[in-house]
Amino acid sequence: MNGQTFVFADPDAVAEESARRLLGLMAEHPGRRFSLALSGGSTPQRFYRLLTTPPWRGQIDWGSLQVFLADERFLPPDHPDSNFRMVRETLLDPISKIPECNIHPMPTDGTVEASALRYAAELQEYFGVASPRFDLIVLGMGPDGHTASLFPGHAHPKGPWVIPVHNSPKPPPTRLSLSLELINQARHVLFLVTGEDKAPALSMLREATVPTLPAGAVQLDEGELVWLVDQAAWGKAFS
Ligand code: 6PG
């Protein structure tokens, strides 16, 4: 398994450590804008909720955050299953200190192909360089080893920064995702993985010598890759 792995007692402890790490990374460059890409899913969601509570709420420099999405379900932004809606309801609205212009949802109108190009253009405008590097990308992992909306058995094209996804086995079938290539350019990636249904995929990742699952293909070019895992996901065999 690439990167460093830390195993915690439960999902709350994983969320606590995630908050501690976000604060630490932001503190390395006080006042500088900090690009953060967020995923959907229940494990990341717990982390977002925690950030809105003391002491984190008062310690994070919310004004310097630039919030992006790592992946999105291709649904209207007010749909109950929209990742942006989840991020808005769990983090952005309760904090209400992040300027609207610092919030970058993935567009989900028109075609998914056109939306991918529009989001790539937004990233290009924000980063202004040929090779964008997020300060931090927060990823979850599904029981099948998918991450963001990169699924096993799907082609993961090289080149585009944002890819349209069809036939996702996790509903809804149509999605948008940062590409593997873009994720691998990040300065920091945090994988948040909890629950015993993840144990078989984590076990495969531990044993694989070549990456066979999308989560295992996250291998940062230069950045720091950290897995925060709870005991249930890590599994008894590895404790
Ligand atoms: C999504 C995701 C997806 C998610 C994982 C983990 O939109 O569903 O971004 O990659 O992060 O499936 O989700 P859980 O933490 O709920 O298992």
Side-chain angles (χ1 to χ4, degrees):
M1 209 156 125
N2 304 303
Q4 287 180 284
T5 305
F6 300 91
V7 183
F8 297 86
D10 55 32
D12 286 336
V14 168
E16 285 281 340
E17 177 64 12
S18 312
R20 203 186 62 71
R21 283 179 181 263
L22 172 63
L23 195 66
L25 292 175
M26 291 183 75
E28 285 175 12
H29 306 281
R32 173 166 84 64
R33 59 184 195 167
F34 186 95
S35 53
L36 174 67
L38 300 177
S39 292
S42 56
T43 313
Q45 186 173 341
R46 187 180 294 263
F47 164 48
Y48 310 153
R49 281 192 201 285
L50 181 71
L51 291 175
T52 68
T53 65
W56 314 108
R57 185 187 180 94
Q59 290 181 346
I60 287 174
D61 174 10
W62 297 104
S64 68
L65 269 189
Q66 295 279 336
V67 180
F68 294 84
L69 270 282
D71 76 321
E72 182 57 284
R73 297 128 185 230
F74 202 66
L75 300 167
D78 57 350
H79 191 283
D81 295 332
S82 155
N83 281 348
F84 182 65
R85 177 173 168 165
M86 182 275 278
V87 169
R88 184 161 51 73
E89 288 183 350
T90 57
L91 178 67
L92 307 179
D93 286 353
I95 289 300
S96 77
K97 284 186 195 156
I98 306 177
E100 211 47 46
C101 57
N102 292 9
I103 300 172
H104 308 269
M106 288 183 164
T108 56
D109 52 343
T111 65
V112 66
E113 283 75 16
S115 292
L117 292 174
R118 280 164 59 201
Y119 204 58
E122 186 165 345
L123 294 178
Q124 171 75 77
E125 192 182 323
Y126 173 79
F127 286 100
V129 290
S131 197
R133 301 189 73 191
F134 279 98
D135 288 307
L136 174 63
I137 302 179
V138 175
L139 295 175
M141 184 184 78
D144 60 355
H146 79 255
T147 189
S149 285
L150 306 170
F151 291 91
H154 286 198
H156 303 300
K158 280 210 142 210
W161 295 347
V162 184
I163 56 167
V165 177
H166 297 279
N167 304 316
S168 157
K170 180 177 182 179
T174 309
R175 291 164 168 256
L176 286 162
S177 185
L178 298 185
S179 66
L180 193 54
E181 203 174 345
L182 187 63
I183 291 171
N184 282 340
Q185 286 171 198
R187 295 182 196 282
H188 300 271
V189 166
L190 268 189
F191 263 105
L192 313 186
V193 183
T194 64
E196 62 183 352
D197 59 333
K198 314 287 172 55
L202 271 182
S203 158
M204 272 182 75
L205 288 174
R206 270 183 68 104
E207 285 160 19
T209 41
V210 286
T212 52
L213 298 175
V218 176
Q219 302 181 335
L220 302 197
D221 299 340
E222 292 173 29
E224 180 195 46
L225 173 60
V226 170
W227 292 76
L228 305 181
V229 176
D230 79 346
Q231 189 65 55
W234 196 239
K236 290 197 176 56
F238 301 110
S239 58

